[in-house]
Amino acid sequence: MSFKASAFLGKHGFVQNVDVDDVADAILYDMDQGLHGKKADQEMIRTWTLPPEKKPCNKSVIVIDAGGTNFRSCLVTFDAAGVPSISDLEKTRMPGVERELSKKEFFDQIADNLAHLKDKADCIGFCFSYPVEITPDGDGILIGFSKEVKAPEVVGCKIGQSLADALVSKGWKRPKSVMLLNDTVAALLAGAANPASGNVYSSYVGFILGTGMNAAYIQPALKDVQGFEKADVINTEVGKFCSIPRSDFDRDFDATSAKPGTFYLEKSCSGAYLGPVSYHALKTAAQEGWLSEKFAAEFLKLPTLTLIEIDGFLHAPYKAGNTVADLLAKYGAKDDYNFVFEVLDAVVNRSARYAAAILVASVLKTEQGYDKTRPVCIVCNGTTFYKTYRTAGRIKACLEESLTKKRGLAWHAVQVENDITLGAAIGGLIRG
């Protein structure tokens, strides 16, 4: 990195090359606090479930995937051999993103979104990618929304029961079960149910790095914690972790977010926030004279930046049609190109290193990976993970250093096609 970019980032407390092991250690401490019922940032939500020993056969289940800005619904059918097929797929907007909704409006909108699936199955697998307290019957009580969803009356409600009531009010037969699970748990279940041919895994981690960010893992039994006599899948809600260094840019953006003072790690890592944090960094640079006068003046006219815009620039800095590249081509000085690139790359690099720290902590919590023929399977999902500039490669390089070289642990990062949908279907049938 150039002296200039280093000086700018250092002045504002931005640490791009965060120590992966130090952050992982801090996350692990917070995880243990939460598991033992002590004050912790992470929710450490029990799911009261484990991957099924056998694939479901000759069964159908309605699947809902509600997370980020999209709401997807479909029917998943498992044939006699347990091979799944997906039908009746529809995608629409997540209720509560565009405007604030009451509880009734929220669940009525969900019920309306499911009209094409009316009574096609008596079980529902509901991937609800927001913090919920899972109850032993598989339902979930909403702890709070993230990702800018606005429906405060829903907090504290049983999601499955409320949805079933809304469906019945619209003429449905009451579902036999509505199983709530997080997207990370769904990814984990999909990986466990569909291991790559010839592979046997000792444990599983589900990881999402997309619009939002979270992780789930299989927690071994804890003899010193009541109720943990057997293993359980844990949804960590690691995005709430707050013991990380924050820059001036993070604080500036956080003050403008829907829930300031919360979700520090998610706001430093996930796709919904990388664009705005980058914007605040370059806005500060423009205001303080780190950029040429003409370019700075034009940049300050922008309302914000998106991850798509900064990722496009990082992949092709001189390609026309990109907001940043076009401004630089028209108004920027030669020095501006490199400075802007390095600042944006620093934001993305930091995200990758935080993601790696989360995965290191999650793998260590499984207490597996010592047998090289039975690695820990990490099911990775999310456009930020797979498409954002150098992110996947950087994460895997950090895991190789921290888990393989330093600790001698075996791990295998995999991508499962339709993982959230299939995992939610499997979850929906566990109690169905």
Side-chain angles (χ1 to χ4, degrees):
M1 176 172 282
S2 67
F3 294 157
K4 182 178 179 180
S6 293
F8 169 70
L9 294 175
K11 175 185 176 182
H12 292 282
F14 188 96
V15 182
Q16 66 152 327
N17 290 311
V18 293
D19 189 297
V20 171
D21 287 318
D22 283 351
V23 176
D25 287 345
I27 292 172
L28 281 167
Y29 175 79
D30 192 71
M31 285 178 166
D32 285 337
Q33 290 289 100
L35 288 171
H36 286 79
K38 299 178 182 179
K39 185 178 180 180
D41 293 338
Q42 297 169 87
E43 300 288 351
M44 302 304 287
I45 300 167
R46 296 190 65 178
T47 64
W48 307 91
T49 192
L50 285 171
E53 295 182 1
K54 297 180 180 179
K55 291 183 178 181
C57 299
N58 297 317
K59 292 184 178 181
S60 293
V61 57
I62 293 170
V63 169
I64 306 168
D65 179 10
T69 57
N70 294 319
F71 181 99
R72 300 175 180 86
S73 55
C74 65
L75 185 73
V76 176
T77 301
F78 295 89
D79 65 15
V83 177
S85 61
I86 299 172
S87 63
D88 301 281
L89 176 64
E90 287 192 5
K91 182 174 76 170
T92 184
R93 294 279 291 175
M94 177 66 192
V97 171
E98 296 178 344
R99 66 179 181 88
E100 183 172 313
L101 301 178
S102 67
K103 175 186 173 182
K104 184 179 187 305
E105 289 174 324
F106 181 81
F107 287 106
D108 279 350
Q109 283 196 20
I110 292 180
D112 290 340
N113 290 344
L114 300 178
H116 64 295
L117 297 168
K118 183 178 178 181
D119 295 333
K120 290 190 176 183
D122 59 5
C123 294
I124 298 176
F126 194 166
C127 181
F128 191 72
S129 302
Y130 305 92
V132 294
E133 177 188 348
I134 300 298
T135 54
D137 62 357
D139 205 339
I141 300 171
L142 179 64
I143 296 169
F145 278 116
S146 58
K147 306 168 194 172
E148 313 299 306
V149 173
K150 299 172 285 293
E153 289 183 9
V154 181
V155 175
C157 295
K158 294 189 78 171
I159 301 299
Q161 178 181 308
S162 298
L163 173 58
D165 291 343
L167 292 174
V168 170
S169 73
K170 292 181 180 291
W172 285 55
K173 297 176 183 177
R174 181 170 290 274
K176 182 179 177 182
S177 66
V178 181
M179 172 74 174
L180 266 287
L181 67 165
N182 184 270
D183 50 3
T184 53
V185 177
L188 186 155
L189 291 176
N194 297 277
S197 178
N199 285 287
V200 175
Y201 298 115
S202 54
S203 193
Y204 295 88
V205 170
F207 181 63
I208 308 294
L209 184 60
T211 302
M213 178 273 300
N214 196 19
Y217 71 97
I218 299 179
Q219 170 63 49
L222 292 170
K223 295 181 180 179
D224 61 336
V225 180
Q226 186 176 3
F228 269 97
E229 288 79 13
K230 62 179 182 178
D232 198 355
V233 175
I234 299 294
N235 164 24
T236 67
E237 290 301 330
V238 70
K240 286 189 169 185
F241 184 65
C242 288
S243 296
I244 57 172
R246 300 173 72 221
S247 69
D248 294 338
F249 322 134
D250 296 304
R251 294 185 179 89
D252 289 344
F253 164 66
D254 182 51
T256 70
S257 66
K259 294 185 178 181
T262 62
F263 291 90
Y264 287 175
L265 186 51
E266 183 167 273
K267 290 173 182 175
S268 301
C269 195
S270 70
Y273 306 110
L274 295 183
V277 170
S278 297
Y279 171 76
H280 280 277
L282 291 181
K283 178 181 177 182
T284 301
Q287 292 171 334
E288 293 182 350
W290 296 87
L291 297 166
S292 64
E293 187 174 345
K294 287 185 178 179
F295 175 72
E298 293 301 319
F299 182 85
L300 289 173
K301 295 178 182 179
L302 296 177
T304 188
L305 285 175
T306 66
L307 176 57
I308 292 174
E309 290 170 327
I310 68 171
D311 181 58
F313 175 76
L314 290 172
H315 273 104
Y318 296 93
K319 186 175 181 179
N322 175 272
T323 301
V324 179
D326 287 348
L327 281 180
L328 283 167
K330 191 171 184 179
Y331 303 104
K334 183 178 180 180
D335 183 54
D336 290 334
Y337 272 91
N338 192 61
F339 180 85
V340 169
F341 186 96
E342 289 188 324
V343 169
L344 297 182
D345 186 47
V347 174
V348 172
N349 180 58
R350 185 183 70 168
S351 167
R353 296 183 72 84
Y354 276 140
I358 294 165
L359 290 175
V360 168
S362 299
V363 169
L364 291 176
K365 287 299 293 177
T366 70
E367 300 179 9
Q368 297 294 328
Y370 295 97
D371 182 344
K372 298 299 188 293
T373 69
R374 296 166 57 89
V376 175
C377 179
I378 305 172
V379 184
C380 301
N381 177 285
T383 54
T384 303
F385 183 96
Y386 287 108
K387 294 185 178 181
T388 300
Y389 180 73
R390 295 184 63 189
T391 292
R394 282 168 162 166
I395 292 173
K396 292 176 182 178
C398 290
L399 295 181
E400 182 69 20
E401 181 67 29
S402 182
L403 292 175
T404 307
K405 294 181 180 179
K406 290 185 178 181
R407 295 177 172 90
L409 297 178
W411 55 277
H412 187 193
V414 303
Q415 184 175 17
V416 177
E417 187 176 3
N418 297 315
D419 53 354
I420 306 303
T421 299
L422 297 181
I426 293 165
L429 293 171
I430 286 177
R431 293 180 175 84

